Amino acid sequence: MLVPSSPGLGELLRYVGELVDRGAEEVYDSLGLSYRARYTPVLRAMADGAATVTDITTRLHLTQGAISQTVGLMVTDGLIQRTKLPDGRKSGLRLTDEGRDLVDQLTPHWEVTFDAIAELEQEVRHPLRRVLSDTAAALESKNFAERIRQALQDRHERDATTATPENGASTNWFDRGGQAYAQFRPVYPERLAMFLASLAPSADLVVDVGCGTGQLTSGLAPYFDETIGLDPSAQQLANTRPQDRVRYVQAPAEKLPVPDHSASLITAAQAAHWFDRPAFYSEVRRIAVDNAVLALVSYGVMRLDPDLADRFDRFYRQEIGPYWPPERALVDSGYADIDFPFEQYPAPPIEITENWTLSQVLGYISTWSAVRQVENAGKPEILHAFATDLAAHWGDPAVTRPVTWPVTMKVGIVTPLARHE
């Protein structure tokens, strides 16, 4: 099955950069300026006192090679002049009269440009500059080559412990813990975090309760000054990934270690059906600011291709159905029957979509509580039979297939009245 390719990170960054530069240069042309947008960072740095390529590089998120190339072009265009520094070891730079005149002319334009950036961020409801700054810092801490190598190693490890064409399915595909939860749970779409963040009355603090290994926590973090992920399981928290402005704390939903009236958004993703909800709601009222948002998020049963659906449905509903705890019924109903004593806000339809190999699907199923109960009951043959059948229907286990989950939510506003009831 062919899956349409998605644009990579570099491709998207280059395309966005091209769109920004193209728009800026169109405005420069309308001002009667023969000017390249790539000159702007260098001009601004020199206007602030930078006098060498090293000085400019220190002030900007650009490589020394890129700065040197740009400086060379600006020298040719008569905007910069090279000078000798007293120590004789470095070549100095200074703006020519034409360069200084250009700075004076462009300064009001740059101020308006930042207004346009702020409007763009408001329109897409995403803090673009903060996200890119955080991304740069993360890549400085651990470069992208290292991340690719780690991802490759992780994939080899997953494939080594799951189904293969020869044996159908390994005997230990379901024997996993918190690490598997972090590896195999589906990723919430960015649209979900954007929607929830847009409802919050401020960007001060979001608290993700029952956060597990941080699937939703990490997605919310770029939108808030501080993010707290809480979970009672030390094993789950041990498999979270460090992230700027995110703090993970071991704590139950019924006793939140969060100051009174401090949280603008409180979330619980695929977790609220396990809570003592009256106690949890009491804590929500305590920690919420006025008009804070509470969101109980759940995704339902995964959907597979039609040729896999019947075998999966039989496994899910009949073979391991008796091993699901009663709380699972709330997930199957999309939280339609869950108690929720807050004024509700309508939520848009959202779906999680992944393209997974057979090993990823089996890895995800291994994280289910019902699977653990089957194993505890001493009936692993149920799991092995399903894995073998699914592998036979799947075909080449390295081929990816679409997997989807419907996302449902109960979204409420914690009003001053509700908080003090």
Side-chain angles (χ1 to χ4, degrees), residues 208-226:
D208 188 25
V209 185
C211 66
T213 56
Q215 278 86 358
L216 181 58
T217 321
S218 58
L220 291 167
Y223 298 94
F224 291 86
D225 296 332
E226 183 182 5

Side-chain angles (χ1 to χ4, degrees), residues 96-115:
T96 63
D97 290 343
E98 183 179 351
R100 284 191 292 271
D101 289 343
L102 192 58
V103 169
D104 292 340
Q105 187 175 356
L106 288 176
T107 296
H109 168 73
W110 292 335
E111 293 171 353
V112 171
T113 299
F114 276 94
D115 291 341

Side-chain angles (χ1 to χ4, degrees), residues 38 42 53 57 63-74 82:
R38 65 183 293 186
V42 174
V53 169
T57 304
T63 65
Q64 187 154 335
I67 296 296
S68 296
Q69 290 178 359
T70 301
V71 165
L73 292 171
M74 295 175 74
R82 299 188 188 274

Side-chain angles (χ1 to χ4, degrees), residues 12-44:
L12 285 172
L13 290 173
R14 284 189 291 273
Y15 182 54
V16 171
E18 179 184 336
L19 291 175
V20 171
D21 286 349
R22 188 187 305 165
E25 288 178 356
E26 182 178 327
V27 174
Y28 295 140
D29 288 343
S30 70
L31 296 174
L33 298 175
S34 178
Y35 178 76
R36 307 184 198 208
R38 65 183 293 186
Y39 291 174
T40 295
V42 174
L43 277 180
R44 293 180 60 206

Side-chain angles (χ1 to χ4, degrees), residues 92-169:
L93 302 172
R94 72 174 182 83
L95 291 172
T96 63
D97 290 343
E98 183 179 351
R100 284 191 292 271
D101 289 343
L102 192 58
V103 169
D104 292 340
Q105 187 175 356
L106 288 176
T107 296
H109 168 73
W110 292 335
E111 293 171 353
V112 171
T113 299
F114 276 94
D115 291 341
I117 294 171
E119 183 181 359
L120 174 63
E121 290 182 319
Q122 184 175 10
E123 178 181 333
V124 301
R125 295 184 176 179
H126 205 82
L128 297 174
R129 286 169 290 181
R130 176 187 285 183
V131 169
L132 291 174
S133 178
D134 288 351
T135 302
L139 290 173
E140 288 168 356
S141 174
K142 180 179 179 181
N143 68 46
F144 201 52
E146 184 179 354
R147 293 172 187 273
I148 293 173
R149 287 192 289 268
Q150 182 63 53
L152 182 61
Q153 179 181 339
D154 290 345
R155 172 165 292 190
H156 286 330
E157 290 176 355
R158 289 197 301 267
D159 291 345
T161 57
T162 51
T164 63
E166 291 77 20
N167 63 13

